[in-house]
Amino acid sequence: MTGSRSTAAELLRFLALAAVVGIALVLLGYPATRRLGGEEAIPAMIAGCAIGVLASAMGALPVFFSRRSGARDAMQGMLLSMAIRLAAVVVLGLAAGLSGWFEIRPLLIWIAFGYVAILPLDVRYAVRGL
């Protein structure tokens, strides 16, 4: 198995685990969101969790490319990953919030939950790989 294959396998494993965490978050939060926010809060919950997963996927790319290019760029890849992830959450959150398609409060709450729930997985991927 070559080095690029193992880094690609790690990235795919990370993306799959991030999706599983996002789906688990939706399943765990569905009853409370429906009870507290009503039916109109459910699309906001799904969008907030999806934003967290997409931001993590975008943030994983610098780590992936730094691992492929060698160890000298590893720290720069980790720092760039954090910046991209935060920027992606802000941009996607603003776009979703300003679109008018979602209730704002549940959207913001679930963006925060999605960000925090996937953060340990992101850190583990950036530091050690999967």
Side-chain angles (χ1 to χ4, degrees):
M1 188 181 227
T2 65
S4 63
R5 261 189 166 169
S6 63
T7 56
E10 284 181 356
L11 178 65
L12 290 176
R13 195 173 308 124
F14 168 76
L15 294 174
L17 286 173
V20 166
V21 170
I23 291 169
L25 196 59
V26 167
L27 293 175
L28 289 172
Y30 180 81
T33 301
R34 185 169 180 224
R35 188 170 73 83
L36 296 173
E39 287 295 324
E40 60 275 356
I42 299 300
M45 175 191 64
I46 294 169
C49 292
I51 288 170
V53 172
L54 288 172
S56 290
M58 293 167 76
L61 293 177
V63 174
F64 171 72
F65 288 122
S66 69
R67 286 194 180 140
R68 287 186 57 187
S69 66
R72 70 176 197 276
D73 296 334
M75 184 58 86
Q76 187 177 10
M78 286 186 228
L79 293 173
L80 188 58
S81 173
M82 290 188 306
I84 287 175
R85 185 171 190 244
L86 181 61
V89 164
V90 169
V91 168
L92 292 172
L94 277 172
L98 294 175
S99 71
W101 295 345
F102 307 106
E103 294 290 322
I104 297 296
R105 288 183 183 153
L107 178 68
L108 293 176
I109 289 169
W110 283 104
I111 287 173
F113 283 159
Y115 189 91
V116 171
I118 302 174
L119 185 60
L121 185 62
D122 283 343
V123 170
R124 182 175 175 200
Y125 175 67
V127 173
R128 294 190 304 185
L130 292 175

